[in-house]
Amino acid sequence: MAKMLSSFGKSLLRRRPLDFSNEETQFARCLSTLDLVALGVGSTLGAGVYVLAGEVAREKAGPAIVLCFLIAALSSMLAGLCYAEFGARVPKTGSAYLYSYVTVGEIWAFITGWNLILSYVIGTASVARAWSSTFDNLVEQKISSFFKASMAMKVPGKVLAEYPDLFALILVLLLTGLLAFGVSESALVNKIFTGVNLVVLGFVIISGFVKGNVDNWHLVKDDYLEYRNGTNVSQEQLEKEFGEGGFAPFGLAGILSGAATCFYAFVGFDCIATTSEEAKNPMRSIPIGIVASLLICFFAYFGVSAALTMMMPYYQLNTDSPLPEAFSYVGWAPARYIVAVGSLCALSTSLLGSMFPMPRVIYAMAEDGLLFRVLSKINTRTKTPMLATIVSGIVAALMAFLFDLAALVDLMSIGTLLAYSLVAICVLILRYQPGNLNSSSQTEKLVELVEGEKVAVSGGDSGDEYGMEMEDRPLREAFTAKLLFSPSGNSPTKTSGTIVYATTAIISALMTVLCIVLANCLPQLLAAHAGVVTPCIILALLCAVCVIIIWRQPQSKEALTFKVPLLPWLPLFSVFVNIYLMMQLDVATWCRFSVWMVIGFAIYFLYGIKNSSEANNGSPSGKYEPALQNKSPIYKGAPDDSDVEVGGSP
């Protein structure tokens, strides 16, 4: 019995070794760095920039919304840096799913991939309905009025929508056809729409600074009372709508609450990580694409929120359509049509950004046998996962057509935040492991493109130095308590790697408990109740001890084109932020999440665990290989259009 349980546990935690020595991608390598930046910006900089700034400024932060976006951008950048390192480390399709598979094991990989699929499906359907609603507003609700009159669906429980959204259905199916047709065509359409969106946002920012008034950042109580025309205003209403006035009318609590909301405005950049086998030079393009797209999105959000709060007082902002109202306030009412065009372009790119990674995650899981293998077929002409694209597109289209998605949108957050957390954990673990992920990875030689030819170039600390590192360290050392704080050498060993692995698992559990306490007992903590303060202090001290243990262990000197700085601090802080945001979600969302996971586990335990490629290979647990052999390029693409990237990247 014990042997069976041990074997079952090993099968759940088996890792996928990577080997690129004799493997060519079936995808078309046609995406340049500019394409990836445009994909990241388009996916991240959705319609939220046209709505979110008004909502957060009016209800939570006032003019200090610029600080909310700054805090949110810094938090998102932590996750972005972790994705960037993995993009440089694992140039394969699969994003967070694959990163988890090669690091922490099969069951965690399945959980991550299954929730990413949920996030992308709900994201696609909700953005399609938002596109339909925005267009409907432009034509004065004529579309919705017609469907409500002729095809109303009055079903109790608020599960189904008020009417079937035929417009959203057609939109998703059209984009599904575009994605199935080819990657380069989809990338071109995305670049055009993203360009229009950025031009419109540039217009908004410049207009705001021209017509705005800095005095709107220093409003006092008399300004609010004058706006109310001297009518009696209760103290409660004054505190709710005006706060304390000035730059941060709702104080630090309002800024932090606003930052938590603004964090979701930066979700979307992870779609870049699914393009590893379609980028011409993934080792270089993916890190640049992720970091550049987050920076561009931050400057756009920062500029729009600053312009908006300078154009009109924060307590007068319209939470549904802040920019058109602001332009009307300063006498530029016709600018609402420019804003509407930008909003539709933003929704289009956001929709494409949700749909693009979805079939690629499905393809990666199906190729590994965790989902039905028929979904892993690549069309030889378009070089896209045709069946996975069509199936996921139809499911998303039907959800947009029939369902009221307001209650399901929070489920997107769980999938995304879980993926962010696991990627950060995987980066942390791998940086302290001996050897590398595979027998022929980029730790041997970095491959660069020089005038269209593949040239092996020694990295600054690759190859020979790595061999010296292996010679200097003991092959095996017995565990002692002393090794926790005083490792035996400057190079990682199996023992030091295991210490980091176990300590990371412990600190993840401690941070989860701490975040549950913080999310549910924050008022008591601020009131210094001993029953809450004491557990928080104990948990914080235990976390600090774990951080010190990890920090003391030797890091790998593996050569990568990009590395996350300040280990272990940055990945662990990213994990803490993500877990805290997950604990903010309500009980109903977690119940829906449980239902989705039950369906997923049924598929995994009835199909995936037996049909997994690792199970068929007879490999209970993929190991980190210390040996370097079979030197070969990191990636291989078609000779016509994949090996050459002349001027294709900025």
Side-chain angles (χ1 to χ4, degrees):
M1 183 68 178
K3 190 175 181 180
M4 287 177 61
L5 287 174
S6 174
S7 176
F8 180 68
K10 285 181 179 179
S11 66
L12 292 181
L13 296 176
R14 59 193 170 206
R15 297 193 293 269
R16 170 182 164 174
L18 295 175
D19 187 1
F20 307 107
S21 55
N22 294 304
E23 183 176 338
E24 290 192 12
T25 179
Q26 299 180 65
F27 290 89
R29 286 201 180 276
C30 57
L31 299 180
S32 66
T33 306
L34 180 60
D35 290 324
L36 297 193
V37 172
L39 183 64
V41 171
S43 180
T44 307
L45 202 62
V49 70
Y50 294 92
V51 179
L52 189 65
E55 179 186 334
V56 175
R58 171 74 186 265
E59 298 177 353
K60 296 183 178 180
I65 184 176
V66 292
L67 297 182
C68 296
F69 276 117
L70 178 62
I71 295 169
L74 291 174
S75 301
S76 298
M77 188 60 79
L78 299 178
L81 292 174
C82 294
Y83 268 88
E85 175 168 326
F86 252 116
R89 189 187 284 273
V90 185
K92 295 279 289 178
T93 291
S95 184
Y97 156 75
L98 181 62
Y99 304 162
S100 303
Y101 206 166
V102 301
T103 310
V104 290
E106 189 170 284
I107 187 65
W108 287 107
F110 181 85
I111 291 170
T112 304
W114 187 241
N115 282 292
L116 282 177
I117 292 170
L118 176 68
S119 298
Y120 292 139
V121 168
I122 294 176
T124 298
S126 59
V127 174
R129 288 193 74 94
W131 205 106
S132 174
S133 176
T134 303
F135 187 79
D136 187 41
N137 288 334
L138 280 177
V139 295
E140 299 175 349
Q141 280 81 37
K142 289 181 180 176
I143 298 174
S144 57
S145 299
F146 171 77
F147 281 116
K148 284 178 181 176
S150 57
M151 300 173 67
M153 296 189 301
K154 296 180 180 178
V155 179
K158 293 185 178 181
V159 176
L160 296 180
E162 292 182 13
Y163 63 92
D165 198 332
L166 190 62
F167 203 90
L169 174 78
I170 294 171
L171 184 65
V172 174
L173 292 178
L174 283 174
L175 277 180
T176 300
L178 175 66
L179 286 168
F181 188 69
V183 177
S184 56
E185 293 80 6
S186 306
L188 177 62
V189 171
N190 181 70
K191 276 192 287 190
I192 293 170
F193 281 130
T194 300
V196 174
N197 185 24
L198 290 176
V199 168
V200 171
L201 292 178
F203 166 77
V204 169
I205 293 168
I206 294 170
S207 303
F209 281 93
V210 170
K211 297 293 290 183
N213 186 349
V214 183
D215 291 341
N216 285 326
W217 283 12
H218 305 96
L219 296 167
V220 295
K221 185 177 178 181
D222 291 340
D223 295 312
Y224 177 74
L225 295 176
E226 184 181 343
Y227 159 66
R228 284 292 179 180
N229 294 324
T231 55
N232 290 329
V233 178
S234 66
Q235 185 65 27
E236 182 182 352
Q237 186 179 6
L238 181 70
E239 290 179 0
K240 181 181 178 182
E241 294 189 2
F242 180 72
E244 300 294 326
F247 180 71
F250 302 102
L252 180 62
I255 292 173
L256 294 177
S257 175
T261 303
C262 292
F263 179 86
Y264 296 108
F266 291 92
V267 167
F269 67 85
D270 52 307
C271 69
I272 295 175
T274 63
T275 64
S276 293
E277 291 185 54
E278 290 159 294
K280 294 177 184 176
N281 190 348
M283 317 296 292
R284 173 174 172 267
S285 297
I286 289 179
I288 292 174
I290 290 173
V291 174
S293 61
L294 281 174
L295 286 173
I296 291 170
C297 292
F298 164 67
F299 285 118
Y301 282 125
F302 189 92
V304 168
S305 57
L308 185 64
T309 49
M310 283 198 295
M311 277 200 283
M312 69 187 296
Y314 63 89
Y315 48 77
Q316 294 186 42
L317 289 171
N318 185 316
T319 54
D320 295 323
S321 55
L323 287 174
E325 290 291 326
F327 277 113
S328 297
Y329 185 83
V330 297
W332 284 15
R336 69 185 292 268
Y337 296 105
I338 299 176
V339 171
V341 169
S343 181
L344 288 176
C345 286
L347 282 165
S348 300
T349 58
S350 184
L351 186 58
L352 202 60
S354 291
M355 293 181 68
F356 186 88
M358 180 165 51
R360 281 147 185 81
V361 172
I362 293 172
Y363 160 81
M365 295 180 72
E367 187 185 40
D368 291 332
L370 302 189
L371 289 181
F372 309 109
R373 286 191 185 274
V374 68
L375 296 172
S376 66
K377 289 184 178 179
I378 298 287
N379 185 279
T380 53
R381 190 177 65 83
T382 63
K383 294 190 176 180
T384 58
M386 180 76 77
L387 189 58
T389 302
I390 292 171
V391 169
S392 58
I394 289 173
V395 171
L398 289 175
M399 285 197 70
F401 183 59
L402 295 173
F403 290 96
D404 179 8
L405 298 164
L408 299 178
V409 169
D410 280 346
L411 275 177
M412 290 170 55
S413 305
I414 292 182
T416 303
L417 294 171
L418 180 65
Y420 285 3
S421 301
L422 275 170
V423 170
I425 288 170
C426 291
V427 165
L428 186 63
I429 289 172
L430 284 184
R431 285 282 286 277
Y432 290 92
Q433 300 301 322
N436 56 306
L437 286 173
N438 57 281
S439 60
S440 57
S441 79
Q442 60 273 28
T443 49
E444 311 147 25
K445 299 287 181 182
L446 297 180
V447 175
E448 294 183 354
L449 289 172
V450 180
E451 297 180 356
E453 294 184 0
K454 286 179 181 173
V455 180
V457 182
S458 294
D461 50 7
S462 62
D464 294 336
E465 181 179 344
Y466 202 90
M468 291 169 59
E469 168 197 324
M470 289 172 56
E471 290 174 12
D472 293 343
R473 74 166 188 263
L475 293 174
R476 175 77 67 176
E477 57 182 341
F479 172 77
T480 61
K482 180 184 176 183
L483 291 176
L484 294 176
F485 299 98
S486 181
S488 59
N490 296 323
S491 302
T493 64
K494 287 186 177 180
T495 303
S496 69
T498 304
I499 289 171
V500 172
Y501 204 106
T503 309
T504 303
I506 293 169
I507 195 173
S508 299
L510 291 172
M511 285 195 292
T512 302
V513 176
L514 179 59
C515 288
I516 291 172
V517 174
L518 291 176
N520 294 287
C521 306
L522 192 58
Q524 294 91 323
L525 180 65
L526 295 175
H529 285 194
V532 177
V533 173
T534 304
C536 285
I537 291 175
I538 293 171
L539 288 168
L541 289 174
L542 291 173
C543 287
V545 171
C546 290
V547 171
I548 293 170
I549 291 172
I550 296 173
W551 174 61
R552 290 293 300 153
Q553 303 308 309
Q555 286 190 39
S556 169
K557 296 181 176 64
E558 184 176 359
L560 297 171
T561 53
F562 181 85
K563 286 187 175 182
V564 177
L566 300 177
L567 254 70
W569 313 99
L570 289 192
L572 287 174
F573 185 69
S574 177
V575 172
F576 177 79
V577 170
N578 297 330
I579 294 176
Y580 180 75
L581 291 173
M582 288 172 73
M583 295 306 136
Q584 294 283 326
L585 299 172
D586 57 29
V587 175
T589 299
W590 283 101
C591 290
R592 296 185 191 102
F593 172 75
S594 301
V595 173
W596 177 252
M597 287 311 305
V598 167
I599 297 170
F601 283 139
I603 293 173
Y604 176 71
F605 288 112
L606 295 177
Y607 178 87
I609 196 168
K610 293 180 290 187
N611 292 277
S612 163
S613 297
E614 291 309 303
N616 295 332
N617 291 340
S619 169
S621 177
K623 300 295 182 184
Y624 305 106
E625 289 288 341
L628 300 176
Q629 47 187 305
N630 300 332
K631 296 191 184 337
S632 67
I634 302 162
Y635 60 87
K636 298 177 179 180
D640 296 333
D641 58 356
S642 61
D643 290 354
V644 183
E645 186 185 18
V646 181
S649 304

